mmCIF file of all heavy atoms in Angstrom:
data_model
loop_
_atom_site.group_PDB
_atom_site.id
_atom_site.type_symbol
_atom_site.label_atom_id
_atom_site.label_comp_id
_atom_site.label_asym_id
_atom_site.label_seq_id
_atom_site.Cartn_x
_atom_site.Cartn_y
_atom_site.Cartn_z
ATOM 1 N N LYS A 21 267.726 102.426 137.046
ATOM 2 C CA LYS A 21 267.207 103.701 137.477
ATOM 3 C C LYS A 21 265.797 103.589 138.027
ATOM 4 O O LYS A 21 265.459 104.134 139.048
ATOM 5 C CB LYS A 21 267.197 104.708 136.300
ATOM 6 C CG LYS A 21 268.488 105.212 135.882
ATOM 7 C CD LYS A 21 268.410 106.186 134.744
ATOM 8 C CE LYS A 21 269.695 106.684 134.266
ATOM 9 N NZ LYS A 21 269.625 107.590 133.103
ATOM 10 N N ILE A 22 264.953 102.760 137.389
ATOM 11 C CA ILE A 22 263.612 102.519 137.868
ATOM 12 C C ILE A 22 263.690 101.842 139.207
ATOM 13 O O ILE A 22 262.972 102.231 140.129
ATOM 14 C CB ILE A 22 262.820 101.642 136.866
ATOM 15 C CG1 ILE A 22 262.517 102.423 135.586
ATOM 16 C CG2 ILE A 22 261.501 101.165 137.464
ATOM 17 C CD1 ILE A 22 261.668 103.638 135.782
ATOM 18 N N ALA A 23 264.526 100.806 139.409
ATOM 19 C CA ALA A 23 264.600 100.157 140.696
ATOM 20 C C ALA A 23 265.077 101.096 141.807
ATOM 21 O O ALA A 23 264.576 101.110 142.877
ATOM 22 C CB ALA A 23 265.547 98.984 140.595
ATOM 23 N N ALA A 24 266.067 101.938 141.405
ATOM 24 C CA ALA A 24 266.571 102.910 142.448
ATOM 25 C C ALA A 24 265.474 103.896 142.788
ATOM 26 O O ALA A 24 265.367 104.225 143.976
ATOM 27 C CB ALA A 24 267.788 103.678 141.887
ATOM 28 N N THR A 25 264.705 104.341 141.834
ATOM 29 C CA THR A 25 263.598 105.249 142.151
ATOM 30 C C THR A 25 262.606 104.658 143.016
ATOM 31 O O THR A 25 262.159 105.225 143.989
ATOM 32 C CB THR A 25 262.916 105.757 140.819
ATOM 33 O OG1 THR A 25 263.939 106.406 140.006
ATOM 34 C CG2 THR A 25 261.799 106.693 141.059
ATOM 35 N N GLY A 26 262.191 103.385 142.710
ATOM 36 C CA GLY A 26 261.256 102.654 143.533
ATOM 37 C C GLY A 26 261.723 102.493 144.954
ATOM 38 O O GLY A 26 261.014 102.629 145.894
ATOM 39 N N ILE A 27 263.024 102.159 145.122
ATOM 40 C CA ILE A 27 263.535 101.943 146.490
ATOM 41 C C ILE A 27 263.508 103.310 147.241
ATOM 42 O O ILE A 27 263.126 103.358 148.412
ATOM 43 C CB ILE A 27 264.958 101.404 146.403
ATOM 44 C CG1 ILE A 27 264.917 99.938 145.940
ATOM 45 C CG2 ILE A 27 265.634 101.482 147.761
ATOM 46 C CD1 ILE A 27 266.200 99.399 145.541
ATOM 47 N N ALA A 28 263.913 104.379 146.562
ATOM 48 C CA ALA A 28 263.955 105.678 147.203
ATOM 49 C C ALA A 28 262.512 106.107 147.627
ATOM 50 O O ALA A 28 262.275 106.660 148.701
ATOM 51 C CB ALA A 28 264.546 106.718 146.292
ATOM 52 N N LEU A 29 261.577 105.918 146.734
ATOM 53 C CA LEU A 29 260.193 106.278 147.010
ATOM 54 C C LEU A 29 259.606 105.442 148.128
ATOM 55 O O LEU A 29 258.894 105.883 149.018
ATOM 56 C CB LEU A 29 259.320 106.163 145.781
ATOM 57 C CG LEU A 29 259.706 107.129 144.646
ATOM 58 C CD1 LEU A 29 258.840 106.846 143.384
ATOM 59 C CD2 LEU A 29 259.417 108.592 145.062
ATOM 60 N N THR A 30 259.929 104.131 148.177
ATOM 61 C CA THR A 30 259.446 103.302 149.205
ATOM 62 C C THR A 30 260.040 103.706 150.533
ATOM 63 O O THR A 30 259.289 103.714 151.575
ATOM 64 C CB THR A 30 259.798 101.815 148.950
ATOM 65 O OG1 THR A 30 259.139 101.482 147.669
ATOM 66 C CG2 THR A 30 259.278 100.903 150.001
ATOM 67 N N MET A 31 261.302 104.058 150.580
ATOM 68 C CA MET A 31 261.875 104.545 151.804
ATOM 69 C C MET A 31 261.274 105.823 152.306
ATOM 70 O O MET A 31 261.028 105.994 153.495
ATOM 71 C CB MET A 31 263.402 104.745 151.635
ATOM 72 C CG MET A 31 264.157 103.372 151.447
ATOM 73 S SD MET A 31 265.892 103.612 150.990
ATOM 74 C CE MET A 31 266.526 104.622 152.293
ATOM 75 N N ALA A 32 260.941 106.762 151.404
ATOM 76 C CA ALA A 32 260.313 107.974 151.760
ATOM 77 C C ALA A 32 258.907 107.672 152.344
ATOM 78 O O ALA A 32 258.518 108.296 153.276
ATOM 79 C CB ALA A 32 260.187 108.935 150.536
ATOM 80 N N LEU A 33 258.212 106.843 151.748
ATOM 81 C CA LEU A 33 256.911 106.406 152.221
ATOM 82 C C LEU A 33 256.960 105.794 153.627
ATOM 83 O O LEU A 33 256.183 106.075 154.493
ATOM 84 C CB LEU A 33 256.193 105.424 151.272
ATOM 85 C CG LEU A 33 255.719 106.043 149.948
ATOM 86 C CD1 LEU A 33 255.236 104.894 149.050
ATOM 87 C CD2 LEU A 33 254.652 107.033 150.193
ATOM 88 N N ALA A 34 257.922 104.923 153.777
ATOM 89 C CA ALA A 34 258.102 104.288 155.125
ATOM 90 C C ALA A 34 258.385 105.337 156.233
ATOM 91 O O ALA A 34 257.890 105.289 157.287
ATOM 92 C CB ALA A 34 259.183 103.239 155.057
ATOM 93 N N ALA A 35 259.224 106.251 155.847
ATOM 94 C CA ALA A 35 259.569 107.367 156.756
ATOM 95 C C ALA A 35 258.343 108.177 157.160
ATOM 96 O O ALA A 35 258.126 108.471 158.304
ATOM 97 C CB ALA A 35 260.630 108.227 156.264
ATOM 98 N N SER A 36 257.576 108.511 156.158
ATOM 99 C CA SER A 36 256.378 109.328 156.437
ATOM 100 C C SER A 36 255.322 108.510 157.193
ATOM 101 O O SER A 36 254.603 109.032 158.038
ATOM 102 C CB SER A 36 255.735 109.832 155.132
ATOM 103 O OG SER A 36 255.073 108.879 154.419
ATOM 104 N N ALA A 37 255.322 107.212 157.007
ATOM 105 C CA ALA A 37 254.361 106.332 157.699
ATOM 106 C C ALA A 37 254.568 106.295 159.152
ATOM 107 O O ALA A 37 253.665 106.054 160.008
ATOM 108 C CB ALA A 37 254.380 104.956 157.125
ATOM 109 N N HIS A 38 255.824 106.532 159.619
ATOM 110 C CA HIS A 38 256.119 106.475 161.027
ATOM 111 C C HIS A 38 255.861 107.742 161.813
ATOM 112 O O HIS A 38 255.929 107.780 163.011
ATOM 113 C CB HIS A 38 257.562 105.940 161.249
ATOM 114 C CG HIS A 38 257.731 104.503 160.821
ATOM 115 N ND1 HIS A 38 257.144 103.506 161.547
ATOM 116 C CD2 HIS A 38 258.316 103.941 159.788
ATOM 117 C CE1 HIS A 38 257.410 102.332 161.009
ATOM 118 N NE2 HIS A 38 258.076 102.579 159.924
ATOM 119 N N SER A 39 255.661 108.831 161.034
ATOM 120 C CA SER A 39 255.367 110.084 161.773
ATOM 121 C C SER A 39 253.882 110.119 162.090
ATOM 122 O O SER A 39 253.066 109.661 161.329
ATOM 123 C CB SER A 39 255.732 111.305 160.874
ATOM 124 O OG SER A 39 254.884 111.332 159.782
ATOM 125 N N ASP A 40 253.518 110.587 163.270
ATOM 126 C CA ASP A 40 252.128 110.543 163.632
ATOM 127 C C ASP A 40 251.516 111.906 163.578
ATOM 128 O O ASP A 40 251.731 112.738 164.413
ATOM 129 C CB ASP A 40 252.049 110.035 165.132
ATOM 130 C CG ASP A 40 250.623 109.784 165.608
ATOM 131 O OD1 ASP A 40 249.697 110.184 164.828
ATOM 132 O OD2 ASP A 40 250.445 109.287 166.709
ATOM 133 N N GLY A 41 250.767 112.129 162.482
ATOM 134 C CA GLY A 41 250.124 113.426 162.312
ATOM 135 C C GLY A 41 248.631 113.396 162.645
ATOM 136 O O GLY A 41 247.926 114.339 162.406
ATOM 137 N N HIS A 42 248.171 112.318 163.249
ATOM 138 C CA HIS A 42 246.735 112.208 163.539
ATOM 139 C C HIS A 42 246.475 111.787 164.929
ATOM 140 O O HIS A 42 245.590 111.011 165.243
ATOM 141 C CB HIS A 42 246.113 111.123 162.594
ATOM 142 C CG HIS A 42 246.368 111.514 161.156
ATOM 143 N ND1 HIS A 42 245.713 112.470 160.516
ATOM 144 C CD2 HIS A 42 247.223 110.938 160.192
ATOM 145 C CE1 HIS A 42 246.119 112.570 159.243
ATOM 146 N NE2 HIS A 42 247.050 111.646 159.093
ATOM 147 N N GLY A 43 247.151 112.354 165.894
ATOM 148 C CA GLY A 43 246.853 112.081 167.289
ATOM 149 C C GLY A 43 247.084 110.650 167.701
ATOM 150 O O GLY A 43 247.993 109.968 167.274
ATOM 151 N N ASN A 44 246.098 110.110 168.409
ATOM 152 C CA ASN A 44 246.147 108.767 168.939
ATOM 153 C C ASN A 44 245.435 107.739 167.966
ATOM 154 O O ASN A 44 245.178 106.664 168.379
ATOM 155 C CB ASN A 44 245.589 108.672 170.311
ATOM 156 C CG ASN A 44 246.429 109.363 171.360
ATOM 157 O OD1 ASN A 44 247.603 109.327 171.219
ATOM 158 N ND2 ASN A 44 245.772 109.976 172.298
ATOM 159 N N ASN A 45 245.185 108.143 166.816
ATOM 160 C CA ASN A 45 244.501 107.341 165.778
ATOM 161 C C ASN A 45 245.361 106.070 165.572
ATOM 162 O O ASN A 45 246.530 106.169 165.165
ATOM 163 C CB ASN A 45 244.309 108.143 164.535
ATOM 164 C CG ASN A 45 243.769 107.375 163.386
ATOM 165 O OD1 ASN A 45 243.586 106.127 163.446
ATOM 166 N ND2 ASN A 45 243.496 108.037 162.314
ATOM 167 N N PRO A 46 244.812 104.861 165.735
ATOM 168 C CA PRO A 46 245.542 103.649 165.528
ATOM 169 C C PRO A 46 245.957 103.432 164.069
ATOM 170 O O PRO A 46 246.819 102.579 163.799
ATOM 171 C CB PRO A 46 244.662 102.583 166.031
ATOM 172 C CG PRO A 46 243.272 103.110 165.896
ATOM 173 C CD PRO A 46 243.427 104.604 166.158
ATOM 174 N N PHE A 47 245.337 104.185 163.188
ATOM 175 C CA PHE A 47 245.608 104.056 161.741
ATOM 176 C C PHE A 47 246.441 105.186 161.188
ATOM 177 O O PHE A 47 246.627 105.396 159.989
ATOM 178 C CB PHE A 47 244.321 103.966 161.008
ATOM 179 C CG PHE A 47 243.478 102.789 161.304
ATOM 180 C CD1 PHE A 47 242.279 103.002 162.012
ATOM 181 C CD2 PHE A 47 243.795 101.519 160.981
ATOM 182 C CE1 PHE A 47 241.479 101.861 162.371
ATOM 183 C CE2 PHE A 47 243.045 100.418 161.317
ATOM 184 C CZ PHE A 47 241.894 100.612 162.031
ATOM 185 N N SER A 48 247.063 105.987 162.091
ATOM 186 C CA SER A 48 247.867 107.122 161.594
ATOM 187 C C SER A 48 248.924 106.784 160.655
ATOM 188 O O SER A 48 249.183 107.461 159.672
ATOM 189 C CB SER A 48 248.370 108.005 162.748
ATOM 190 O OG SER A 48 249.276 107.247 163.564
ATOM 191 N N SER A 49 249.663 105.651 160.887
ATOM 192 C CA SER A 49 250.767 105.323 160.017
ATOM 193 C C SER A 49 250.223 104.846 158.635
ATOM 194 O O SER A 49 250.821 105.164 157.640
ATOM 195 C CB SER A 49 251.629 104.202 160.634
ATOM 196 O OG SER A 49 250.901 103.015 160.814
ATOM 197 N N HIS A 50 249.069 104.181 158.629
ATOM 198 C CA HIS A 50 248.423 103.806 157.375
ATOM 199 C C HIS A 50 248.037 105.050 156.518
ATOM 200 O O HIS A 50 248.294 105.123 155.354
ATOM 201 C CB HIS A 50 247.171 102.996 157.607
ATOM 202 C CG HIS A 50 247.410 101.736 158.359
ATOM 203 N ND1 HIS A 50 247.500 101.695 159.745
ATOM 204 C CD2 HIS A 50 247.632 100.477 157.895
ATOM 205 C CE1 HIS A 50 247.736 100.484 160.148
ATOM 206 N NE2 HIS A 50 247.772 99.681 159.093
ATOM 207 N N ILE A 51 247.400 105.994 157.263
ATOM 208 C CA ILE A 51 246.930 107.177 156.575
ATOM 209 C C ILE A 51 248.122 108.063 156.125
ATOM 210 O O ILE A 51 248.179 108.564 154.957
ATOM 211 C CB ILE A 51 245.978 108.005 157.462
ATOM 212 C CG1 ILE A 51 244.710 107.132 157.681
ATOM 213 C CG2 ILE A 51 245.584 109.349 156.929
ATOM 214 C CD1 ILE A 51 243.823 107.583 158.844
ATOM 215 N N ASN A 52 249.144 108.156 156.913
ATOM 216 C CA ASN A 52 250.349 108.942 156.534
ATOM 217 C C ASN A 52 250.975 108.266 155.332
ATOM 218 O O ASN A 52 251.413 109.002 154.405
ATOM 219 C CB ASN A 52 251.308 109.028 157.689
ATOM 220 C CG ASN A 52 250.910 109.964 158.740
ATOM 221 O OD1 ASN A 52 250.093 110.922 158.529
ATOM 222 N ND2 ASN A 52 251.424 109.817 159.952
ATOM 223 N N ALA A 53 251.018 106.984 155.264
ATOM 224 C CA ALA A 53 251.612 106.283 154.094
ATOM 225 C C ALA A 53 250.762 106.601 152.851
ATOM 226 O O ALA A 53 251.301 106.874 151.783
ATOM 227 C CB ALA A 53 251.688 104.745 154.335
ATOM 228 N N ARG A 54 249.443 106.503 152.997
ATOM 229 C CA ARG A 54 248.582 106.782 151.885
ATOM 230 C C ARG A 54 248.759 108.233 151.376
ATOM 231 O O ARG A 54 248.844 108.451 150.191
ATOM 232 C CB ARG A 54 247.069 106.592 152.251
ATOM 233 C CG ARG A 54 246.714 105.186 152.424
ATOM 234 C CD ARG A 54 245.249 104.917 152.498
ATOM 235 N NE ARG A 54 244.372 105.671 153.338
ATOM 236 C CZ ARG A 54 243.636 105.186 154.333
ATOM 237 N NH1 ARG A 54 243.690 103.937 154.610
ATOM 238 N NH2 ARG A 54 242.852 105.939 155.004
ATOM 239 N N HIS A 55 248.832 109.137 152.325
ATOM 240 C CA HIS A 55 248.959 110.563 151.921
ATOM 241 C C HIS A 55 250.274 110.796 151.249
ATOM 242 O O HIS A 55 250.304 111.463 150.242
ATOM 243 C CB HIS A 55 248.795 111.506 153.106
ATOM 244 C CG HIS A 55 247.424 111.570 153.640
ATOM 245 N ND1 HIS A 55 247.115 112.247 154.865
ATOM 246 C CD2 HIS A 55 246.226 111.085 153.206
ATOM 247 C CE1 HIS A 55 245.850 112.186 155.046
ATOM 248 N NE2 HIS A 55 245.256 111.509 154.094
ATOM 249 N N GLY A 56 251.347 110.183 151.806
ATOM 250 C CA GLY A 56 252.700 110.369 151.176
ATOM 251 C C GLY A 56 252.675 109.761 149.775
ATOM 252 O O GLY A 56 253.184 110.365 148.850
ATOM 253 N N TYR A 57 252.045 108.604 149.658
ATOM 254 C CA TYR A 57 252.010 107.856 148.321
ATOM 255 C C TYR A 57 251.249 108.792 147.339
ATOM 256 O O TYR A 57 251.716 108.966 146.230
ATOM 257 C CB TYR A 57 251.293 106.557 148.532
ATOM 258 C CG TYR A 57 251.245 105.724 147.278
ATOM 259 C CD1 TYR A 57 252.335 104.835 147.025
ATOM 260 C CD2 TYR A 57 250.231 105.824 146.420
ATOM 261 C CE1 TYR A 57 252.350 104.051 145.888
ATOM 262 C CE2 TYR A 57 250.218 105.002 145.253
ATOM 263 C CZ TYR A 57 251.250 104.142 145.015
ATOM 264 O OH TYR A 57 251.267 103.358 143.906
ATOM 265 N N MET A 58 250.108 109.269 147.727
ATOM 266 C CA MET A 58 249.281 110.108 146.809
ATOM 267 C C MET A 58 249.997 111.400 146.512
ATOM 268 O O MET A 58 249.826 111.913 145.380
ATOM 269 C CB MET A 58 247.926 110.373 147.407
ATOM 270 C CG MET A 58 247.050 109.080 147.556
ATOM 271 S SD MET A 58 246.745 108.344 145.883
ATOM 272 C CE MET A 58 245.890 106.876 146.422
ATOM 273 N N ASN A 59 250.728 111.965 147.438
ATOM 274 C CA ASN A 59 251.487 113.212 147.189
ATOM 275 C C ASN A 59 252.551 112.968 146.114
ATOM 276 O O ASN A 59 252.791 113.850 145.254
ATOM 277 C CB ASN A 59 252.100 113.737 148.510
ATOM 278 C CG ASN A 59 251.108 114.443 149.344
ATOM 279 O OD1 ASN A 59 250.011 114.875 148.965
ATOM 280 N ND2 ASN A 59 251.379 114.500 150.707
ATOM 281 N N ILE A 60 253.172 111.847 146.154
ATOM 282 C CA ILE A 60 254.174 111.545 145.119
ATOM 283 C C ILE A 60 253.482 111.367 143.772
ATOM 284 O O ILE A 60 254.014 111.896 142.759
ATOM 285 C CB ILE A 60 254.970 110.258 145.473
ATOM 286 C CG1 ILE A 60 255.860 110.462 146.710
ATOM 287 C CG2 ILE A 60 255.772 109.753 144.314
ATOM 288 C CD1 ILE A 60 256.446 109.253 147.358
ATOM 289 N N LEU A 61 252.376 110.701 143.712
ATOM 290 C CA LEU A 61 251.669 110.615 142.462
ATOM 291 C C LEU A 61 251.210 111.987 141.970
ATOM 292 O O LEU A 61 251.414 112.344 140.776
ATOM 293 C CB LEU A 61 250.369 109.703 142.626
ATOM 294 C CG LEU A 61 250.546 108.253 142.966
ATOM 295 C CD1 LEU A 61 249.260 107.542 143.064
ATOM 296 C CD2 LEU A 61 251.499 107.564 142.021
ATOM 297 N N ASP A 62 250.634 112.790 142.884
ATOM 298 C CA ASP A 62 250.201 114.142 142.506
ATOM 299 C C ASP A 62 251.329 114.997 141.981
ATOM 300 O O ASP A 62 251.143 115.676 140.991
ATOM 301 C CB ASP A 62 249.540 114.795 143.744
ATOM 302 C CG ASP A 62 248.963 116.155 143.441
ATOM 303 O OD1 ASP A 62 248.151 116.195 142.474
ATOM 304 O OD2 ASP A 62 249.278 117.107 144.173
#
């Protein structure tokens, strides 16, 4: 169950990392991944 949860969460983070919510910022995928990660923690 833990492994499945980790895989699902990692996939969700990867998906959010590819959306560009910060214009032409070269770090938008990094920031989206951080925000997604922190949202899951929150």
Side-chain angles (χ1 to χ4, degrees):
K21 287 181 183 178
I22 292 295
T25 301
I27 291 167
L29 293 173
T30 301
M31 289 172 57
L33 289 172
S36 74
H38 290 290
S39 67
D40 186 354
H42 303 288
N44 292 325
N45 175 352
F47 298 109
S48 61
S49 63
H50 300 82
I51 294 165
N52 285 338
R54 289 194 312 241
H55 288 174
Y57 186 89
M58 294 299 174
N59 285 336
I60 291 168
L61 297 182
D62 184 52

